[in-house]
Amino acid sequence: MPRLSTLAVFLAALALWHLASNSGLVSTFLLPSPRTVFETLIELAGSGVLAKHTLVSLRRVLSGYLLAIAIAVPCAALFSLSPVLRRLIEPLLEFLRQIPPLAMMPLLILWLGIGEAQKIGIIVLSCFFPIFLGVRGGIAAVDRKLIDVGTVCGFSRSEIMLRIVLPSALPAIVVGLRIGLGYSWRALVGAELIASSAGLGYMIVDAENLARTDIVLAGILVIGLLGLITDHLLRGLIQRKAPWLAGDLEMARA
């Protein structure tokens, strides 16, 4: 039933789009019909252009996302274990968290150039804090009594972290991972906005300059579809490795 209702919602949205573009309520230049966009997708796929841009964007998103995980998880664990470090650096991190990643783009261009490093850097900045806050919040919420029991049983500090803290923090961690993945796709177009020659974001911006609204919509649909697929794969992986976390994954929809 949930799958049928989801399909019905998508079909209803498609029907409204069709009516709006074919009834004259909206100019077909501003909102091409679903058929026109579908034909454009077929044309882009047949020419190989869509596959080229999609692979480039996938590589950038996955690289930035995995790099953000590699940085955010150890940083969050270190902050949780060191109150002194937390008091010293937390105000700076809170300040940086309020700055939109796209506002950092001019500095990243100066620091990292206009190549792949700058684009991946934007994606890292976008998904770092959701992952960092998820890990840190999960560790902070661990019941102190469990840690005391581990200490009484003679666990070392690393054993307490691996056998007590991390399993208890997993629900919050997976929520942060899922939200961070969504943010990485949101940052894609901004990351590919400047000095790009490939990628779905570049394709959308280039089509906007050429007044090809059909290609713009096609690129948006592909990004949304890829976001759904990667989110589904992440949820599937987590449910496979930790099936007891299935309910906690829904918290990431907020």
Side-chain angles (χ1 to χ4, degrees):
M1 288 301 296
R3 292 183 179 180
L4 289 176
S5 61
T6 300
L7 180 61
V9 170
F10 275 101
L11 290 177
L14 190 64
L16 289 174
W17 177 8
H18 174 79
L19 289 174
S21 60
N22 287 278
S23 64
L25 294 175
V26 182
S27 169
T28 54
F29 172 75
L30 298 176
L31 185 66
S33 67
R35 180 178 178 178
T36 301
V37 175
F38 179 74
E39 290 174 350
T40 300
L41 276 171
I42 297 298
E43 179 184 346
L44 292 172
S47 65
V49 172
L50 185 61
K52 169 191 171 184
H53 292 309
T54 299
L55 289 175
V56 170
S57 292
L58 269 175
R59 185 183 72 243
R60 287 168 178 163
V61 166
L62 293 179
S63 298
Y65 179 65
L66 294 176
L67 184 57
I69 292 175
I71 298 172
V73 173
C75 285
L78 187 61
F79 267 57
S80 300
L81 294 173
S82 175
V84 176
L85 184 64
R86 184 167 63 248
R87 285 194 300 269
L88 287 175
I89 304 183
E90 184 175 31
L92 177 61
L93 283 180
E94 283 298 311
F95 171 77
L96 294 175
R97 188 167 69 89
Q98 312 306 321
I99 302 175
L102 292 181
M104 299 291 292
M105 185 179 290
L107 281 178
L108 289 178
I109 292 175
L110 291 174
W111 294 344
L112 303 176
I114 58 174
E116 290 297 300
Q118 172 259 333
K119 298 169 182 60
I120 293 174
I122 290 290
I123 296 172
V124 170
L125 288 176
S126 297
C127 53
F128 170 83
F129 283 106
I131 299 171
F132 175 84
L133 293 175
V135 176
R136 185 182 161 192
I139 294 176
V142 174
D143 191 345
R144 183 68 195 181
K145 294 178 182 179
L146 295 175
I147 298 176
D148 293 338
V149 170
T151 303
V152 171
C153 292
F155 288 178
S156 65
R157 197 169 187 180
S158 59
E159 287 177 323
I160 290 175
M161 176 63 70
L162 293 175
R163 299 177 64 177
I164 296 177
V165 174
L166 286 181
S168 299
L170 270 179
I173 292 174
V174 298
V175 169
L177 289 175
R178 191 178 172 195
I179 295 175
L181 180 60
Y183 273 64
S184 66
W185 283 107
R186 295 181 187 185
L188 178 66
V189 175
E192 296 176 341
L193 189 62
I194 297 177
S196 291
S197 58
L200 293 171
Y202 164 78
M203 185 181 78
I204 290 173
V205 174
D206 185 58
E208 186 267 337
N209 292 331
L210 297 174
R212 288 293 306 273
T213 317
D214 55 335
I215 298 180
V216 172
L217 286 171
I220 292 172
L221 291 176
V222 171
I223 290 177
L225 180 61
L226 289 174
L228 284 177
I229 292 172
T230 52
D231 181 70
H232 179 74
L233 292 175
L234 178 62
R235 284 191 298 158
L237 177 63
I238 293 172
Q239 289 173 345
R240 193 174 181 181
K241 298 298 183 181
W244 62 91
L245 296 174
D248 297 290
L249 287 171
E250 299 307 312
M251 295 170 59
R253 293 183 182 273

